[in-house]
């Protein structure tokens, strides 16, 4: 290893906790019948920050006049910090695709995508033009509005654009935060159990270490471990088989193991894939644990914060966990 300080964005414990459920809301709300006023063909983006974990279920695009799309338009959701996409692009063909809700059309992203607290996002749409104009408030107060889901997200910035369709819009505009009638998305408070180590969506690995990688934690209040997870570089499915283990650090006893085969196995949560254990593993107060993953290498790199910064956060579950040490490594197995 290149450094004695190893911070690994490789493995995650999902811990039993309470779930929040809300009805999905739409981030950027355009009234039905709204007409566009700009024929910009490049990427148009609007920024938001996530204050509490959310699940994104649909992406949407503005339909000028709410009478069907005369040009194909595509919606994309980006991690603003990295400039990488976090959901598959959603393409809206000409005609009346998806569900028309107010002045926007929405289609599912597939499985809902979890965005953690602290995530910095940009919703982007491109494909507008003379036959299907977008809306641009031009610095004034637009007729379209926003919905923050009761404070789950915040709308920031002044809009952004890029003349290249589909590219991340890296040029800032003059506001307001919802300057454009363009992209939108549906979201709700995340229904996923608490995650101890969470990797930001869009994270790509930076190290091809093939041995075991571990991170230490202490339990301050009893918890139930319900699933184990592994980092998926780029969130495009695993190109190598990866195995996760839960150890007692004091006795070096292996308490649980989950094998992740090649492909999009398990449930993708932010930057990691999870599989449930056959039954919860209860860890008492005072337990000293290590979560371990092995199997990374060329084709499926792990992440190492000692090589370059990574977007990983920890969740102590209100003090039930403490994260200790500086990471550890060894031979596989």
């Amino acid at each position: 290893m290149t450094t004695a300080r190893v911070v690994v964005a490789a493995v995650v414990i999902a811990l039993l906790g309470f779930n929040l459920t809300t009805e999905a809301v739409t981030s950027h709300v355009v009234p039905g019948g709204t007409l566009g006023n700009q024929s910009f063909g490049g990427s148009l983006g609007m920024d938001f920050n996530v204050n509490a974990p959310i699940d994104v279920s649909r992406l949407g695009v503005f339909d000028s006049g709410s009478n069907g799309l005369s040009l194909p338009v595509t919606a994309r959701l980006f991690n603003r910090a990295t400039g990488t996409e976090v959901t598959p692009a959603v393409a809206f063909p000409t005609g009346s695709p998806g569900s028309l809700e107010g002045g926007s059309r929405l289609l599912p992203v597939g499985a809902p995508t979890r965005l953690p607290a602290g995530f910095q996002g940009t919703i982007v749409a491109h494909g507008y033009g003379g036959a299907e104009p977008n809306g641009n408030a031009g610095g004034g107060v637009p007729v379209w509005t926003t919905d923050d889901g009761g404070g789950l997200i915040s709308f920031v910035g002044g809009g952004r654009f890029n003349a290249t369709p589909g590219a991340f819009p890296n040029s800032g505009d003059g506001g307001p935060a919802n300057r454009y009638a363009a992209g939108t998305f549906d979201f709700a408070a995340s229904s996923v159990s608490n995650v101890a180590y969470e990797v930001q969506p869009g994270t790509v690995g930076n190290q091809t270490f093939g041995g075991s990688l571990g991170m230490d934690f202490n339990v301050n209040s009893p918890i139930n471990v319900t699933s184990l997870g592994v980092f998926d570089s780029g969130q495009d499915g695993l190109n190598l088989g990866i195995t996760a283990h839960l150890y007692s650090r004091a006795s070096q006893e292996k308490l649980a193991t989950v094998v992740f085969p090649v492909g999009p196995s398990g449930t993708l949560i932010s930057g990691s894939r999870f599989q449930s254990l056959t039954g919860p593993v209860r860890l008492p107060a005072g337990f000293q644990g290590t979560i371990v993953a092995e199997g990374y290498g060329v084709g499926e790199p792990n992440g190492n914060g000692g090589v370059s910064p990574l977007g990983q956060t920890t969740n102590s579950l209100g003090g039930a966990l403490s994260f200790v040490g500086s990471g550890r490594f060894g031979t596989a197995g």
Side-chain angles (χ1 to χ4, degrees), residues 283-332:
L283 303 181
F287 178 84
Q288 298 178 333
T290 300
I291 182 69
V292 175
E294 61 189 21
Y296 292 100
V298 176
E300 190 63 44
N302 65 279
N304 187 329
V307 174
S308 60
L310 294 165
Q312 174 168 277
T313 58
T314 55
N315 180 0
S316 71
L317 303 181
L321 292 176
S322 296
F323 303 97
V324 298
S326 58
R328 55 179 68 235
F329 62 95
T331 57

Side-chain angles (χ1 to χ4, degrees), residues 43-47 122-125 158-161 169 177 180 182:
S43 294
L44 294 165
M46 293 176 287
D47 297 344
T122 301
I123 181 65
V124 175
R160 53 177 66 236
F161 62 93
Y180 312 122

Side-chain angles (χ1 to χ4, degrees), residues 21-32:
T21 57
T22 65
E23 294 295 325
V25 300
T26 302
S27 62
H28 298 78
V29 183
V30 182

Side-chain angles (χ1 to χ4, degrees), residues 35-202:
L35 296 173
N37 62 356
Q38 185 183 56
S39 57
F40 181 70
S43 294
L44 294 165
M46 293 176 287
D47 297 344
F48 64 95
N49 294 337
V50 177
N51 303 319
I54 61 172
D55 293 330
V56 174
S57 55
R58 297 191 296 175
L59 301 188
V61 298
F62 169 57
D63 176 359
S64 178
S66 308
N67 57 357
L69 298 172
S70 298
L71 294 173
V73 183
T74 300
R76 288 183 152 89
L77 185 62
F78 282 85
N79 180 327
R80 191 169 78 250
T82 63
T84 54
E85 290 187 64
V86 298
T87 69
V90 177
F92 292 78
T94 57
S96 303
S99 174
L100 179 65
E101 299 179 19
S104 298
R105 295 188 173 277
L106 293 108
L107 284 168
V109 296
T113 297
R114 176 182 160 106
L115 302 181
F119 178 83
Q120 298 178 334
T122 301
I123 181 65
V124 175
H126 63 89
Y128 292 102
E132 187 65 45
N134 65 277
N136 189 330
V141 178
V143 298
W144 47 90
T145 58
T146 57
D147 190 334
D148 65 7
L152 291 171
I153 65 175
S154 298
F155 301 96
V156 298
R160 53 177 66 236
F161 62 93
N162 190 320
T164 302
F168 180 75
N170 50 14
S171 297
D173 214 334
N178 63 330
R179 182 180 178 108
Y180 312 122
T184 188
F185 60 96
D186 272 5
F187 68 96
S190 180
S191 60
V192 178
S193 297
N194 289 309
V195 175
Y197 301 88
E198 187 155 1
V199 183
Q200 289 277 340

